[in-house]
Amino acid sequence: MLTSDNLLSPKDLAVAIGSSESSLKRWIDRGLLSVSRTAGGHRRIAVSEAIRFVRARGMPIVRPEILGLPASVGVKSRLSLNGARSPNETFSALLRAGHDVGARAHLLNRFLAGETIAELADGPIRTSLIEIGEMWHDSVEGILIEHRATEICVELIQELKKLIQPVSAELRSIGGAIDGDVYKLPPLLASAVIQENGIQAVNLGTNTPIAVFEIACLCDDLEQRPDIVWMSVNSLSELAMNRDEIERFAARCASEDIAVVIGGRLASELDIGHISSIEIHRSMQELSTFLERFKAARI
Amino acid sequence: MLTSDNLLSPKDLAVAIGSSESSLKRWIDRGLLSVSRTAGGHRRIAVSEAIRFVRARGMPIVRPEILGLPASVGVKSRLSLNGARSPNETFSALLRAGHDVGARAHLLNRFLAGETIAELADGPIRTSLIEIGEMWHDSVEGILIEHRATEICVELIQELKKLIQPVSAELRSIGGAIDGDVYKLPPLLASAVIQENGIQAVNLGTNTPIAVFEIACLCDDLEQRPDIVWMSVNSLSELAMNRDEIERFAARCASEDIAVVIGGRLASELDIGHISSIEIHRSMQELSTFLERFKAARI
DNA sequence: AAAAATTTCGTTCAAATCGTCCATTTCTCG
DNA sequence: CGAGAAATGGACGATTTGAACGAAATTTTT
């Protein structure tokens, strides 16, 4: 539980090396590992002693971040999770340190504990990247950290996507980030949230022209047509042009009974919220509730 | 028993590959398979080591889920008969059709049968995407197919990366695509190939300014400095400017004893092949052989 | 400071793994 | 074909492991 600095509980070390708490306690009692005790008799293991133990026996370290060991290259060597108050701050610290293994374990645990992908997207992932994004303008180092964190998140979201139940092919969707938008995380997160809701989602990635969305929606084979199109808008090359194009596209989709969902940081700036056939969402959880309604309406 | 995600008991692996526990223990004791031991002397096999063993010895995988692999492993794809002559054509057809599950099964099977990531990168992945890229200019549909295929490949390469050995932290590298280059596959493939060669690789993704590479290489903490920097060059905003910047950067790296490796479609157009401290490669297998030489020289 | 929630304590117990031995199968080669 | 070598898979008692439990200690919240 990372009680205080440089002291581990038996459970902590057991998790770090992928064995059970029982075994670790037995090894300690056998004298293989020396510990101190609290006033009440609880074992406390110094990190240095833990490292000596695993090194001496050539044991694998499954969760290096628990021992404060760095796992990356570039900047920020020492990883200290002690200062982190909330879970989201812990995740942010791991991302800033480029600690892919730690970030993975953190997110996986939270997902397995019941948090949805939508919640994780709006929570740790979003707040961390906003926080890191604010470093972006300050320094070159900020860009480095931001790029590295983004790559780690891409990897993690792909992994979460694999953990959700296989989707029924009944409802299909396709989407991506519009032309000129190079942020890859939002469309990826959207596809994960959609699949989490049991709907098949094809992600076209960043920088996708409207014409491509069109051809995907209006293809000849009716069996292939999606029921939903989603678009991420995080950078706008030409506001007016984009708006017109999207409005025309939405009109065509409406006539074909295809739902259009738009999200992203700049979605509201498009100023097309008044168009009834377009759904604008501000967060992944909003997207999720929309999908719930949509499914209910279609069945 | 599956104590932790990454550690198997001899029995687990024996069941996974359909042999007996006795044989497996004998193979381990003969050194064919390296394991760690618990304090009590029980063998623990890392999943990545299990996969290395399976690939090296050409063993069948009877129960892929034990190794965390999808059930499709070992199953012959139905689409392989659809007029496709070679395996690479089969993969290309799957990608064009947006058949992510099929493409995944195909690539995973080839990897587990012994093909390296470098070979798969230069083979099915490269040829498929070149072929699809040629559709790019012809039609909007081409763009759709290209985007979809790229996303699928990103996912697949991430998955392959997870299957290879966790690297020893002895050699480190960092890299990405240069500023203005938005192709995400090349740097991702490079990082996978580097990790396949036992070198830690941090991918900074697309659109990474030279200044970011610099700060990563010349950071204060010497323990964090990489031994290799790799750069992908697939689009050039300003040829001359890029060249000057890269040459300056390479000179600094040379003085710090950091190897600079450049790859990508337009790497040769930079016309900096004459600079001795810069390594230019034309394929992932060339990168791989360079890494072999590099490792040999450093030890 | 008291109460509630969480973690760790020490212990017990069934299941898994240890190393070793051996019968059987498979391979090698004269 | 057949004898010897090598590899396989099962069986064995001894040891180790991981999970469970109520009680006590610790941490967090009120």
Side-chain angles (χ1 to χ4, degrees):
Chain A
M1 189 226 191
L2 294 180
T3 50
S4 70
D5 35 3
N6 290 343
L7 287 179
L8 304 170
S9 75
K11 178 78 173 286
D12 292 331
L13 184 53
V15 171
I17 65 176
S19 73
S20 74
E21 185 192 340
S22 298
S23 295
L24 198 62
K25 287 193 291 189
R26 209 177 301 112
W27 298 336
I28 291 169
D29 295 347
R30 219 194 289 167
L32 301 167
L33 187 53
S34 62
V35 299
S36 55
R37 296 266 184 170
T38 66
H42 285 199
R43 302 170 181 86
R44 288 292 121 91
I45 309 161
V47 169
S48 55
E49 171 67 3
I51 290 175
R52 183 203 63 77
F53 175 71
V54 297
R55 275 234 245 280
R57 310 197 157 254
M59 288 178 151
I61 304 177
V62 183
R63 298 272 305 273
E65 82 280 6
I66 293 179
L67 305 182
L69 299 176
S72 184
V73 93
V75 295
K76 194 111 180 188
S77 63
R78 263 288 160 225
L79 175 66
S80 152
L81 299 176
N82 295 334
R85 305 241 158 276
S86 72
N88 287 1
E89 280 177 37
T90 303
F91 184 71
S92 180
L94 289 165
L95 272 190
R96 281 198 308 275
H99 208 305
D100 50 356
V101 182
R104 174 183 184 268
H106 179 90
L107 216 58
L108 226 57
N109 282 338
R110 289 176 68 167
F111 178 74
L112 294 175
E115 288 187 70
T116 64
I117 295 182
E119 285 164 352
L120 293 170
D122 292 338
I125 295 172
R126 183 167 214 260
T127 56
S128 298
L129 286 170
I130 285 178
E131 188 187 316
I132 290 171
E134 280 162 12
M135 305 167 71
W136 205 91
H137 297 288
D138 298 352
S139 65
V140 179
E141 194 177 324
I143 307 181
L144 164 61
I145 292 174
E146 195 251 4
H147 276 223
R148 195 172 58 183
T150 302
E151 291 301 312
I152 292 175
C153 282
V154 167
E155 194 184 314
L156 298 185
I157 299 160
Q158 302 269 28
E159 194 159 0
L160 288 183
K161 266 175 87 169
K162 294 209 190 79
L163 294 181
I164 56 188
Q165 80 282 3
V167 296
S168 77
E170 254 171 63
L171 290 177
R172 289 177 302 277
S173 74
I174 195 164
I178 64 167
D179 204 10
D181 183 352
V182 298
Y183 291 89
K184 42 188 153 184
L185 237 29
L188 180 58
L189 280 168
S191 74
V193 170
I194 292 170
Q195 293 211 11
E196 184 174 44
N197 280 83
I199 300 172
Q200 191 182 82
V202 174
N203 181 18
L204 297 175
T206 57
N207 239 318
T208 303
I210 303 285
V212 173
F213 286 100
E214 269 180 42
I215 209 169
C217 293
L218 310 171
C219 68
D220 303 332
D221 186 359
L222 285 173
E223 289 297 309
Q224 292 279 310
R225 285 198 184 181
D227 305 280
I228 305 173
V229 190
W230 86 88
M231 299 165 95
S232 276
V233 183
N234 288 287
S235 40
L236 287 169
S237 44
E238 281 192 58
L239 184 65
M241 200 191 74
N242 277 322
R243 173 167 45 218
D244 290 354
E245 221 176 359
I246 291 176
E247 284 186 8
R248 265 202 311 278
F249 171 61
R252 290 213 56 177
C253 285
S255 71
E256 303 278 346
D257 199 28
I258 298 173
V260 177
V261 192
I262 299 183
R265 197 167 51 86
L266 300 184
S268 50
E269 293 198 20
L270 276 171
D271 195 29
I272 46 179
H274 59 280
I275 300 179
S276 62
S277 69
I278 299 178
E279 181 84 16
I280 304 253
H281 68 253
R282 233 161 245 80
S283 71
M284 289 299 156
Q285 285 176 85
E286 272 185 37
L287 170 61
S288 207
T289 52
F290 161 73
L291 293 169
E292 283 298 334
R293 286 204 318 275
F294 184 84
K295 278 190 294 181
R298 283 279 164 122
I299 299 166
Chain B
M1 181 185 293
L2 289 181
T3 62
S4 149
D5 293 342
N6 297 2
L7 297 176
L8 306 169
S9 74
K11 178 75 175 264
D12 291 330
L13 184 52
V15 171
I17 65 176
S19 74
S20 74
E21 186 190 337
S22 293
S23 294
L24 200 58
K25 286 196 288 189
R26 210 177 304 112
W27 295 335
I28 291 168
D29 294 346
R30 221 193 293 163
L32 275 57
L33 185 54
S34 63
V35 300
S36 57
R37 296 269 187 165
T38 66
H42 285 200
R43 301 171 182 86
R44 287 292 124 92
I45 309 162
V47 170
S48 55
E49 172 65 6
I51 286 173
R52 186 202 62 76
F53 176 70
V54 166
R55 288 201 330 134
R57 313 270 307 182
M59 298 194 123
I61 301 180
V62 185
R63 298 272 306 278
E65 73 279 7
I66 295 179
L67 303 181
L69 296 168
S72 61
V73 167
V75 183
K76 198 91 172 168
S77 164
R78 287 183 293 112
L79 266 75
S80 58
L81 302 174
N82 271 6
R85 308 227 158 277
S86 70
N88 287 1
E89 280 177 35
T90 303
F91 184 71
S92 179
L94 289 164
L95 272 190
R96 280 199 309 275
H99 199 309
D100 53 352
V101 184
R104 181 183 187 210
H106 180 90
L107 214 60
L108 259 181
N109 278 328
R110 288 176 68 167
F111 176 75
L112 292 172
E115 287 187 73
T116 64
I117 295 182
E119 285 164 352
L120 293 170
D122 292 338
I125 296 172
R126 184 167 214 259
T127 55
S128 299
L129 286 170
I130 284 178
E131 188 186 317
I132 290 172
E134 280 162 12
M135 305 167 70
W136 205 90
H137 298 288
D138 299 353
S139 66
V140 178
E141 195 178 333
I143 307 181
L144 164 61
I145 292 174
E146 195 251 4
H147 276 223
R148 195 173 57 185
T150 302
E151 291 301 312
I152 292 174
C153 283
V154 167
E155 195 184 316
L156 298 185
I157 299 160
Q158 302 270 28
E159 190 159 3
L160 291 184
K161 261 176 90 168
K162 291 206 197 82
L163 298 182
I164 56 188
Q165 302 269 12
V167 294
S168 74
E170 255 171 63
L171 289 178
R172 292 176 299 275
S173 75
I174 196 164
I178 64 167
D179 205 9
D181 183 352
V182 297
Y183 291 88
K184 42 188 151 182
L185 235 31
L188 181 57
L189 281 168
S191 73
V193 170
I194 292 170
Q195 292 210 13
E196 184 175 43
N197 280 84
I199 299 171
Q200 189 182 86
V202 173
N203 181 18
L204 297 175
T206 57
N207 238 320
T208 303
I210 302 284
V212 174
F213 287 101
E214 267 180 44
I215 208 171
C217 294
L218 309 172
C219 68
D220 305 331
D221 186 358
L222 286 174
E223 290 297 309
Q224 290 284 306
R225 285 197 185 182
D227 305 282
I228 304 172
V229 189
W230 86 89
M231 299 166 95
S232 278
V233 182
N234 287 286
S235 41
L236 288 168
S237 43
E238 281 192 58
L239 184 66
M241 200 191 74
N242 277 321
R243 172 167 45 217
D244 291 354
E245 220 176 0
I246 291 176
E247 284 187 7
R248 265 203 311 277
F249 171 61
R252 288 212 58 176
C253 285
S255 71
E256 303 278 346
D257 200 26
I258 298 172
V260 177
V261 192
I262 299 183
R265 198 167 51 86
L266 300 184
S268 50
E269 293 198 21
L270 277 171
D271 194 29
I272 47 179
H274 59 280
I275 299 177
S276 61
S277 68
I278 300 179
E279 181 84 14
I280 304 255
H281 69 253
R282 232 161 246 80
S283 72
M284 288 300 157
Q285 286 176 84
E286 271 185 38
L287 171 61
S288 207
T289 52
F290 162 73
L291 294 170
E292 283 298 334
R293 285 205 318 274
F294 184 85
K295 278 190 295 183
R298 282 280 165 120
I299 299 165

